[in-house]
Amino acid sequence: MNDIFDYYSRVNFKEDETETILNKICIDYNLGDLIDFKVIETGYEDFNVFIKTNKNKYVVKFFSNERTHKNIEHYIEVVDIISKQNYLNIPKIYKNNDTILGNYKNNTHYFVMEYIDGSTIYEMNKKISLKTIIKIIFDVLKYNCVNQDLKSYLLSEKAKSFKQYDMWSYENFLDEYYKKSKYLNAKDKELMSGVVEYFSNMLDRYKNYDKKFYNMQVVPPYMSAHNDFISTNIIISKDETPYYIDFSVSSVALNFVDIAIFGCDTVLAPNLNSSEYAKYLKIISYILYRVHIMEYNLYPTAVAVQHAIHVLIANYYKVCKNVDSDENNYFLELGRKGLNYIINENLMNKPVFNWINDNGWYERAELSEYSEYSNIKKEIEKLGLSEFIEENIKDYFKIYNTNNKDVYKNLSVDDLYNGGYNWLYSCLENLHKGDSLMAISFCNDNEWNDSNEEKEWLKLNLSALRKGIKMKRIFVYPDNKKNLVINNKSISNFVNYNNSNLELDFISESKLNEVLKDKIKEIKPGILVFNNDIAFIDVIDNNDNRGYTIFDKVKISEFHKIYDLIKSNCD
């Protein structure tokens, strides 16, 4: 066995010094009298020790002697920020006075955390329930997008300077592949060919986002990322609560990376077969679409990248470093199995949902009862998980909107979601029976006759009405063209639609100008308000960005007052 799994080779003290150091830690951190301890034999880098005292049970994490002081400082900074939040379960962090980080003889650094009575998913070595997987997905999503203090830190020059190179990292896959693929056998190389093609294309798609979004400091497409949400870093307690550990490689990354990593070994449990795995990945794709995460439609292929990383790096350790540990072999074989499953289920480089219709433009698949999208929704209903997923989506957006309202102020939807339409479609679908949509739409030939996306948007409005969404709509028509507007096929569907949830009115542009005067600029060329939570301003700016979001409740209230004023003067 290589020294990488000789745990004492990772730290600057000998085995016979362990008890002395732990006694010192118990005194410094007021943990009680040491009764027993045991080395935790997992992980590739650090040295973790379970300790039992007359007070409680704890874990001491000794940092590897290969870590730089800057990297250790980065780890502690991230843990300190996360320990102050309430949306992600992590073991309690203990302090010596006001200090988290301790050291022994100035060359061994450590910190102390609560021991969680349970097992990591890796130790459980069995299939976890789909409900638990979904719970973890929403925990990961909240971690990615909620904590602005964490994101601000991770975007800082200080954090960037502390960042440690990680060969297992998603972002380093191509570099590592070109360096280490020579150690792969022919069969593994063939397995990875589609992954390399996808990853290269994915980087091309997002290469221009980096500078733009780092400067804007917005949430999508870059988010706070753990970068290592794997089975060894997720503990399931005795009461089935997930806890998360090991934040050493946290950074800002593309918003699907953590979910892709999670979809690898955590979702692909030992007893999951190929078709079950495909079903789970498709359900996760559905959730990612509902919460506006990029790559939702190629999610299985994004997961395949992480499987390829496991094969590549674990094979390197086995061939070049002579590592033959259970953990290394686990990741090597798991990566091969995951890649084979995704290829065999015809999910490699293939969209999960086919949004393209016979006319060649995007159409939401929920309009077709035979679509893959509808099939997945039916499968979720069959599994009895629809209500659970909807509750989690609602909770996610409640937290998301609260924590990102300042970040999203006057943010172009074009920048975020493919012309804004995917974003609008998802916002509408995330409304539930009894929720509301308020809209003021300006009708002109260009918008209503030439835009397939607008026609699709109106179709989805009608679908929402059938679902029980309450809708208030005012169409603003050019002077003397009311009949032309009413006879527009898309709009006539509203006129002829008999539904108590729909409140429909018309007003001419000249009348509207007379009523609103200077205020007309606040709503032109149109507004949408989703359930009094989010407003969308349909305006094109000097940079040709279309659409802005507003979360300000006061501003949204003003839109309602403007709507009521217009309605009182409608035809």
Side-chain angles (χ1 to χ4, degrees), residues 210-382:
D210 188 31
K211 182 178 179 182
K212 185 174 186 179
F213 281 89
Y214 265 69
N215 290 341
M216 292 172 71
Q217 301 223 342
V218 300
V219 178
Y222 282 89
M223 292 182 171
S224 305
H226 180 285
N227 289 319
D228 206 14
F229 274 127
I230 58 174
S231 59
T232 53
N233 291 330
I234 303 174
I235 302 169
I236 306 297
S237 68
K238 296 293 186 183
D239 65 358
E240 298 190 353
T241 300
Y243 285 81
Y244 306 91
I245 58 174
D246 195 353
F247 297 85
S248 62
V249 290
S250 295
S251 68
V252 172
L254 288 164
N255 66 12
F256 59 87
V257 168
D258 269 347
I259 298 295
I261 293 169
F262 170 75
C264 185
D265 75 307
T266 309
V267 175
L268 181 53
N271 299 321
L272 211 60
N273 62 39
S274 178
S275 61
E276 284 180 307
Y277 189 45
K279 178 174 71 177
Y280 282 23
L281 294 182
K282 288 177 182 179
I283 289 172
I284 297 172
S285 299
Y286 166 82
I287 293 171
L288 298 186
Y289 163 67
R290 293 289 305 280
V291 297
H292 313 152
I293 298 297
M294 300 181 308
E295 297 301 286
Y296 70 87
N297 217 7
L298 286 169
Y299 174 68
T301 312
V303 172
V305 173
Q306 191 61 37
H307 282 306
I309 291 170
H310 284 159
V311 173
L312 181 71
I313 305 303
N315 178 76
Y316 167 75
Y317 274 121
K318 191 178 185 74
V319 172
C320 299
K321 301 288 186 180
N322 299 317
V323 173
D324 195 31
S325 70
D326 289 343
E327 186 175 351
N328 195 68
N329 290 332
Y330 166 81
F331 283 114
L332 178 59
E333 293 307 318
L334 185 95
R336 287 170 175 161
K337 182 166 78 169
L339 285 170
N340 275 304
Y341 277 8
I342 289 170
I343 292 168
N344 292 342
E345 292 294 329
N346 198 25
L347 290 172
M348 182 70 78
N349 284 328
K350 180 183 177 184
V352 175
F353 313 121
N354 185 11
W355 291 144
I356 308 295
N357 69 7
D358 292 338
N359 296 320
W361 56 275
Y362 280 83
E363 180 173 33
R364 308 329 290 172
E366 60 265 34
L367 299 180
S368 167
E369 61 178 304
Y370 302 109
S371 69
E372 185 63 19
Y373 186 90
S374 291
N375 290 338
I376 294 168
K377 288 184 73 173
K378 289 173 185 175
E379 183 65 35
I380 291 169
E381 290 169 5
K382 182 180 173 183

Side-chain angles (χ1 to χ4, degrees), residues 196 211 266 466 472 524:
V196 175
K211 182 178 179 182
T266 309
R466 289 191 290 271
K472 301 197 301 183
K524 197 170 183 180

Side-chain angles (χ1 to χ4, degrees), residues 39-205:
V39 174
I40 300 172
E41 297 184 352
T42 57
Y44 282 78
E45 291 180 296
D46 298 317
F47 178 79
N48 301 306
V49 181
F50 162 81
I51 66 172
K52 181 180 178 181
T53 74
N54 62 341
K55 281 187 176 182
N56 213 332
K57 299 173 182 177
Y58 310 90
V59 172
V60 180
K61 184 178 189 68
F62 292 94
F63 289 105
S64 164
N65 49 26
E66 293 186 0
R67 287 192 186 274
T68 66
H69 186 73
K70 282 188 173 183
N71 180 250
I72 294 171
E73 194 176 330
H74 169 72
Y75 190 115
I76 295 299
E77 185 89 33
V78 172
V79 167
D80 190 31
I81 293 171
I82 296 169
S83 67
K84 296 170 183 174
Q85 50 73 49
N86 59 4
Y87 55 85
L88 192 74
N89 292 314
I90 69 168
K92 179 182 176 181
I93 306 301
Y94 292 88
K95 293 185 177 182
N96 174 10
N97 295 318
D98 292 326
T99 304
I100 293 176
L101 187 65
N103 70 79
Y104 177 71
K105 294 184 177 179
N106 293 321
N107 62 3
T108 298
H109 295 87
Y110 53 84
F111 74 96
V112 182
M113 60 186 136
E114 170 191 16
Y115 170 76
I116 302 300
D117 191 10
S119 302
T120 66
I121 293 174
Y122 170 75
E123 291 168 333
M124 290 165 65
N125 194 33
K126 65 180 182 179
K127 180 167 62 177
I128 59 176
S129 72
L130 184 53
K131 194 168 186 177
T132 300
I133 287 172
I134 292 168
K135 170 70 174 72
I136 295 172
I137 285 169
F138 281 99
D139 282 349
V140 173
L141 288 169
K142 289 171 190 174
Y143 172 80
N144 288 159
C145 76
V146 168
N147 195 321
Q148 291 303 313
D149 290 338
L150 177 60
K151 185 161 182 289
S152 295
Y153 165 70
L154 293 174
L155 283 168
S156 69
E157 291 303 319
K158 178 182 178 183
K160 291 176 187 176
S161 71
F162 288 179
K163 189 175 180 181
Q164 182 177 5
Y165 184 84
D166 178 18
M167 70 174 69
W168 299 86
S169 168
Y170 207 91
E171 66 180 339
N172 295 327
F173 170 60
L174 278 190
D175 288 342
E176 289 298 319
Y177 181 80
Y178 294 136
K179 287 188 289 187
K180 296 181 171 64
S181 59
K182 60 187 176 183
Y183 304 116
L184 295 169
N185 61 41
K187 191 173 180 180
D188 286 341
K189 275 189 179 180
E190 178 64 25
L191 272 178
M192 287 193 194
S193 59
V195 177
V196 175
E197 176 190 351
Y198 158 78
F199 196 83
S200 300
N201 293 335
M202 184 270 289
L203 290 181
D204 286 341
R205 284 201 300 279

